[in-house]
Amino acid sequence: MKKKYGFLFLSLLGIAVFIYLGSSNRVDPAWIGMGPKLDAQYLTLAKAKDSTAILFEEIHGRPATQKDIRTRLANPFIPSVEFSKFQYYTQEVVQNRFAVFSSVIGSGTSTLIDRLARFIATDESHMLRVFGAVNFDMEYHRQFIGEEVNGVWKQGLLLDFFERCLANPDKKFVMVFNDIHKIEPETFFGQKLWYKLYDRDVHAQIGGKTIVIPPNFHMISVAHVIPNAKVLLTEDHYRRIGKLYRIEPDDTELIFYLRGKLSDKQQPLSESAKAKPFVYTFNRANQIISEKFNKSYTVGQWSNLRKLYDKNDMNPLLDYFVAHVNSFAPRNEMVRADLQPIEYAVKNEGKLSGSNFFSTQFKNLEEKGFLTEFIVGLSFIIISALSSFFIFKRREKIISEQIVMVNKLFREFESKTKDYDTISNEIDDIKHSVDHLALKKKISYEEATFFYQYFYDKTRRIEIAKEARNHFEDLIYVSLDDGVLSDKEHQKLLEFLNRIKTRIGETDYQHFKDEIDRIQATYSKN
C-alpha cells in the first residue's frame, strides 16, 4: 500500500513540476544582458584623443594638431559615438571614395557624416554640400552641373569642384549629399555624368570639356529610410554613387545620453531604476515595429524619444512609439496592444509573454496550420480518458462491493456467527450477482474472471471446512451409536482431525479438538 501511494505521490509531483516548468515564461536574454551593457566601458570619440590623432595622420600623412581635431569634430560638439564606429566608416570612405549611408530619422547619421566628411577633407574649403529637396531636381542640376545662359554654357558648382580637385591632387575633397532620396540622382547628375559614374573609362564631355572624376574626390550621400520616399535607391544607384552602409538605431548611443543625465557621473547607470526598462523598451519596440509593420518606421536614439526618460512611468514612451508609427499612415494602425509584450516583460523582470513551453508549442502548431486538428485530437483524448476513468472507477466500485461482501462472509464464517447453510446461500447470491453484472457488461470478462478467482480462494476454505464438519459429524454419530465412546473410537476421531488439519484453519482445528474432548468427557467408559 505504501509503495502504491508513494508511486502515486511521485507521479503527481512529476506532473506538477512539468506543468510548472511548462507554464513558466522564460526571461528575455536581452533583459539579462542589459545590466552589464548599461555599465560597460566604451571608448567614445571624445575620449579617444590619441586614437583619433593616429587616424588623422593615416589619412592626411601629417601629425594632427589640437586645432585639427577641434575644428573637425568639436564644432559645435563632439558626437556621442564609439570611436570604433567612427573609425570604421572613416576608413571605408577613404578607401572606397563613394558611400551611401542609410538610416531612419533620429539615428544621428547626419551629424556623424558631417564630422566624418570634415575629418577626411583637407579643410572646410575643400568640401561641397548638397541638401536635397523634393521637386527641385532640375534646379539642382542647373546649379551643380550647369546650364546654357543666352547661348553660353555656365558651368555648375560640382564641375568647378572637380577642377579644383584636379588642380590640387595632394589634397582631399569631399562632397556631402544630404537627403539624396528626395531627388532623382539621374536628373541631378544628368545623362552624361550619370553614365560616367557607371563606367569611368567612357569619354564624356559637358559644355565642351572632357569630364574626369578626380581620384581625390570623395562623395558621401545620406538617404533617410522613410515610407513613400520619392526615390527608392536600388543596386543600379549604388553602383554609381557608392556602397550602401545601413546605420541602425543604436542603443549604445542612447546609453551615452542617459549617462549624461546622471547627477553623479560616477554612479553606475544600472542603479537607475528607469534606465534598464527604458533602453529595453527602445530595443524591443523597434524590433516589434520592424516585424509587424515596416523597418522604416523604427525610431532613432536621437529622436525626441530620449526626452521621455524623465517621465515617471512607461506610458508616454509607449504612446510615443504608437504615434510615431501611425504618423506614416500604415495600412493597419499600431495600437498599444502591439506593445503588450514589452509591458509584460518590464513588469515581470524581463519575462517574455507566451514564451513558456505550452504557449510555444501552440504557436508552432498554429503557424504550421495544425492547431485545429490538434485541439480536436486533444479534446478526443481528454474525453476518452475521462470516460475511461469514469467507467474504470465505476467497475472498481462494483468489484470492491462484491469483495467486501465476500470478506464479510469469511469473517462471519471464522467467528461462527452464521452457520454453513446460511453462508452457502449468501455465496450463491453473490455468484449470481456477478454473473448478472458480466452479462449486462457492467463489468468486463477479465474483471469477472479476477473476481471469480478471488472468490474461489476465499470460499474454497469455507467449503472444505463444511465438508470436514459433515464428515466429523458423521464419524461422531457412528462412534456414539451405542451411547459410549471407546478408546479406539476416540483415537479414530483424533486421527481424522489430524488428517484434515492442513485443509482447515487453526481456529477450526481447535474447535473440532475441543468438541472431541467434550464428547470424550461425556461418553467415555472411564
Side-chain angles (χ1 to χ4, degrees), residues 332-370:
N332 298 314
E333 284 197 346
M334 188 178 195
V335 294
R336 274 290 295 271
D338 293 317
L339 301 178
Q340 187 276 333
I342 300 176
E343 295 186 74
Y344 180 88
V346 170
K347 291 178 181 178
N348 293 276
E349 293 298 319
K351 290 185 177 181
L352 294 173
S353 177
S355 63
N356 60 71
F357 174 78
F358 298 131
S359 297
T360 302
Q361 298 309 309
F362 271 98
K363 287 179 183 176
N364 291 336
L365 289 170
E366 186 175 17
E367 290 173 358
K368 295 177 180 178
F370 297 142

Side-chain angles (χ1 to χ4, degrees), residues 37-56:
K37 190 168 188 177
L38 293 175
D39 298 332
Q41 296 296 319
Y42 301 95
L43 180 62
T44 62
L45 189 58
K47 295 179 180 179
K49 294 180 180 179
D50 293 339
S51 299
T52 305
I54 294 173
L55 179 62
F56 181 89

Side-chain angles (χ1 to χ4, degrees), residues 30 77 88 183 205 265:
F77 61 88
Y88 170 74
I183 63 175
Q205 285 190 332
K265 304 303 180 184

Side-chain angles (χ1 to χ4, degrees), residues 33-40 42 255 258-259 269-270 275-276 279:
M34 189 57 64
K37 190 168 188 177
L38 293 175
D39 298 332
Y42 301 95
I255 290 173
L258 298 183
R259 285 182 178 179
L269 185 58
S270 61
K276 188 173 184 178
V279 180

Side-chain angles (χ1 to χ4, degrees), residues 415-456:
S415 63
K416 307 303 180 185
T417 56
K418 286 186 178 180
D419 57 47
Y420 291 123
D421 292 334
T422 301
I423 289 176
S424 296
N425 291 334
E426 292 187 12
I427 287 174
D428 290 338
D429 291 340
I430 293 174
K431 285 182 179 181
H432 292 151
S433 176
V434 172
D435 290 341
H436 178 75
L437 292 171
L439 290 173
K440 294 293 184 179
K441 296 184 178 180
K442 292 185 177 181
I443 60 175
S444 65
Y445 172 78
E446 291 79 7
E447 290 167 335
T449 302
F450 163 78
F451 175 77
Y452 287 140
Q453 183 63 43
Y454 180 84
F455 187 82
Y456 175 81

Side-chain angles (χ1 to χ4, degrees), residues 59-100:
I59 295 171
H60 296 283
R62 65 175 179 82
T65 64
Q66 288 187 357
K67 182 179 179 181
D68 288 327
I69 303 301
R70 185 173 61 255
T71 57
R72 286 168 169 79
L73 300 181
N75 185 17
F77 61 88
I78 298 178
S80 299
V81 299
E82 288 187 87
F83 171 75
S84 59
K85 178 179 180 179
F86 180 83
Q87 179 187 42
Y88 170 74
Y89 290 129
T90 300
Q91 291 174 337
E92 284 290 296
V93 172
V94 170
Q95 179 181 347
N96 299 317
R97 294 174 47 222
F98 287 75
V100 179

